[in-house]
Amino acid sequence: MYEQKSWKAAFNVMETLINHGYEAVIVGGAVRDLLRGHLVHDVDVATNAHPEEVKALFSNTADVGIAHGTVLVIHKLSPIEVTTYRTEGKYQDHRRPDEVKFVSSLSEDLKRRDFTINAMALTIHEEIIDLYGGKEDMERRIIRAVGEPTKRFKEDALRMLRAIRFSAQLGFQIEINTLEAIKQQAEDICFIAKERLKQEFDKIFISRYPKNAFLHISNSSLSQFLPGDYSHYEAWGCFKPNGKSVKGWAFLTLLQPNHDASILSQLKCSNSEKKYVKAVVEAFQLLNDGGWTKRNYFDYDVDILETAYEFACQLNKNVKAPASQYDIVQIKSSLAIQSQQELAVSGQDLIKWSGQRGGPWLKEMLNRILNEILENRLSNSTEQIKEWFLREHTH
């Protein structure tokens, strides 16, 4: 694990700080995942050195969050975020502290963190500092807030969704008092920017246990204050993440009443994500409405067809689907043409042959020609298409 460039860089940064009389430890998710035996790349360092002192020790730095004590040390092996120990003032907006105060005590810094499994530190001698029972909670497989959970969630309402996201990523249960605090503070999620909510959903969609998340959202009252319908959480038990969060957005849309896609705009999805979801939903509906035609295979990419097929099999056992995803590839690859650009004629040809001006009829006729070719009733050759067109156009 320590052979990774990011770990080597972090230990080197700690060594420099310690050699100049400061404290330095690795903190946060890197320590948690190290104890789980998982490969991690984001390794953050905490220190009692102030930002200006950190910058004075390293030749190449960037001020990525200096107001909150964070300096990016651009190490030759890997960039490392170095943050000064701090405590935080009141959270008027339920998201960010009004002020931060730099402190010299690691224990004070760890006290402000969200969950016990994220409040551990690793020394340069590879010793774990665990003041809040994070190791025990790891062994018990639970998510538990540091200190008083209601206070943690009043400070930062996003922590409620983070707890749920961790349960999906790790397969852990949320500790009973922490879960009860989420139920009590659920309405505060309304204070969180939709872009931040989307980031958590993106991570849930590619997690190992997404059903955990949607069960908690449904049962914790958060569903009352988040856009969308989360009542069909059982369906997530068969959802197969493939590392693409957009697949989760498509599945969530299919679980909405009437496949309502407005949740995508409400949670600030990108135009490309909306386009992908729209195509999957269309292909899903066509498959459920009687199966795909050759034109459907032509119109949609393999990824869209495979995703729609997978969802249809999961949500409708009686769907008229291809025998397998392999068949989808075979059918699509066997089409007479694969793209509109391969069509042997253009709209200009039809205008020339007909002597008519362009208009809506042109698109309609090109579509008819394309369908005839895909159904193997017409060869994709200029001569045969011209003959067919003149015959059809005069009728």
Side-chain angles (χ1 to χ4, degrees), residues 81-96:
E81 285 192 3
V82 179
T83 302
T84 304
Y85 300 158
R86 73 190 195 207
T87 58
E88 298 171 341
K90 292 183 178 180
Y91 288 69
Q92 297 291 347
D93 65 355
H94 300 267
R95 179 66 189 105
R96 297 186 183 280

Side-chain angles (χ1 to χ4, degrees), residues 60-280:
N60 197 359
T61 65
D63 297 348
V64 295
I66 200 162
H68 292 88
T70 301
V71 173
L72 184 70
V73 174
I74 304 173
H75 192 277
K76 62 182 180 181
L77 293 177
S78 176
I80 300 294
E81 285 192 3
V82 179
T83 302
T84 304
Y85 300 158
R86 73 190 195 207
T87 58
E88 298 171 341
K90 292 183 178 180
Y91 288 69
Q92 297 291 347
D93 65 355
H94 300 267
R95 179 66 189 105
R96 297 186 183 280
D98 296 341
E99 61 177 351
V100 299
K101 181 181 179 182
F102 300 142
V103 294
S104 59
S105 166
L106 173 62
S107 62
E108 284 295 305
D109 182 83
L110 296 179
K111 186 190 297 185
R112 70 176 175 81
R113 295 179 181 269
D114 52 7
F115 307 110
T116 60
I117 61 173
N118 295 334
M120 295 179 284
L122 178 72
T123 72
I124 198 166
H125 302 297
E126 301 177 26
E127 298 169 341
I128 299 293
I129 298 173
D130 180 16
L131 306 180
Y132 298 100
K135 286 179 70 175
E136 182 181 353
D137 287 344
M138 291 276 294
E139 293 168 1
R140 295 166 60 198
R141 298 176 64 83
I142 63 171
I143 310 294
R144 181 164 61 91
V146 172
E148 171 53 47
T150 302
K151 181 180 179 181
R152 294 283 84 80
F153 298 143
K154 282 184 177 179
E155 290 170 346
D156 182 354
L158 187 64
R159 287 171 174 166
M160 295 186 287
L161 196 55
R162 278 171 58 82
I164 287 170
R165 185 251 294 178
F166 282 127
S167 77
Q169 288 180 322
L170 305 177
F172 288 11
Q173 296 299 311
I174 299 177
E175 182 263 341
I176 187 168
N177 292 325
T178 302
L179 185 58
E180 188 59 34
I182 294 175
K183 293 177 181 178
Q184 293 175 9
Q185 300 300 129
E187 189 172 2
D188 287 351
I189 203 71
C190 298
F191 291 104
I192 302 302
K194 297 300 188 293
E195 291 85 355
R196 302 307 300 271
L197 297 178
K198 181 185 182 296
Q199 290 175 3
E200 295 300 318
F201 275 103
D202 283 341
K203 294 173 183 177
I204 288 170
F205 291 144
I206 61 173
S207 70
R208 190 173 180 183
Y209 307 98
K211 181 182 174 182
N212 281 13
F214 292 102
L215 175 63
H216 283 312
I217 289 173
S218 181
N219 292 345
S220 68
S221 303
L222 279 175
S223 59
Q224 299 176 31
F225 306 103
L226 289 169
D229 181 343
Y230 301 92
S231 60
H232 301 290
Y233 55 82
E234 290 289 346
W236 290 93
C238 62
F239 178 75
K240 300 172 184 176
N242 63 353
K244 291 172 52 178
S245 61
V246 70
K247 183 180 177 183
W249 288 111
F251 196 65
L252 182 61
T253 300
L254 285 172
L255 295 177
Q256 302 303 301
N258 301 316
H259 305 160
D260 182 7
S262 62
I263 188 174
L264 304 178
S265 295
Q266 291 173 288
L267 287 174
K268 307 299 182 181
C269 289
S270 67
N271 287 337
S272 64
E273 287 170 324
K274 291 176 185 177
K275 182 179 178 181
Y276 176 93
V277 172
K278 181 175 183 288
V280 169

